[in-house]
């Protein structure tokens, strides 16, 4: 089991982000601190049980408004570690 705590590099709402990944590369726990109610908890619930590579593929392309990044895209950076 691997636990990662990550401070985002972009101006996003969820900071820090914490993820736990089991030995098979499956996401087992996700925590977003300072999140928007509804959005980040929904994404966190959706990620549970996914393989890391699949989650990164899906999350890295998401943008938020005029920003160059988003909470999901920053979370993909967490998962790449």
């Amino acid at each position: 089991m691997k636990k990662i705590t990550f401070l985002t590099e972009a101006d996003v709402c969820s900071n820090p982000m914490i993820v736990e990944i089991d030995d098979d590369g499956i996401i087992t726990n996700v925590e977003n601190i300072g999140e928007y109610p509804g959005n980040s908890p929904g994404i966190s619930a959706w990620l549970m049980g996914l393989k890391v590579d699949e989650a990164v593929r899906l999350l890295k392309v998401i943008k938020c408004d005029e920003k160059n990044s988003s909470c999901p895209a920053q979370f993909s950076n967490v998962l790449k570690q």
Side-chain angles (χ1 to χ4, degrees):
M1 181 76 63
K2 179 166 125 178
K3 183 174 184 174
I4 302 167
T5 300
F6 180 81
L7 295 173
T8 63
E9 299 172 4
D11 181 25
V12 296
C13 302
S14 297
N15 207 9
M17 299 177 176
I18 302 165
V19 63
E20 292 180 16
I21 303 166
D22 73 11
D23 295 335
D24 295 322
I26 296 174
I27 299 167
T28 59
N29 188 41
V30 177
E31 295 177 54
N32 294 309
I33 313 297
E35 62 201 1
Y36 275 125
N39 185 30
S40 293
I43 292 168
S44 298
W46 174 72
L47 290 172
M48 301 284 284
L50 281 182
K51 287 211 166 251
V52 169
D53 292 343
E54 179 68 3
V56 168
R57 184 185 71 78
L58 295 168
L59 296 175
K60 68 181 179 181
V61 298
I62 298 172
K63 302 290 183 234
C64 181
D65 294 327
E66 304 293 321
K67 300 175 185 176
N68 290 327
S69 192
S70 66
C71 295
Q74 287 296 301
F75 201 81
S76 74
N77 292 336
V78 174
L79 296 173
K80 290 177 192 177
Q81 294 185 11

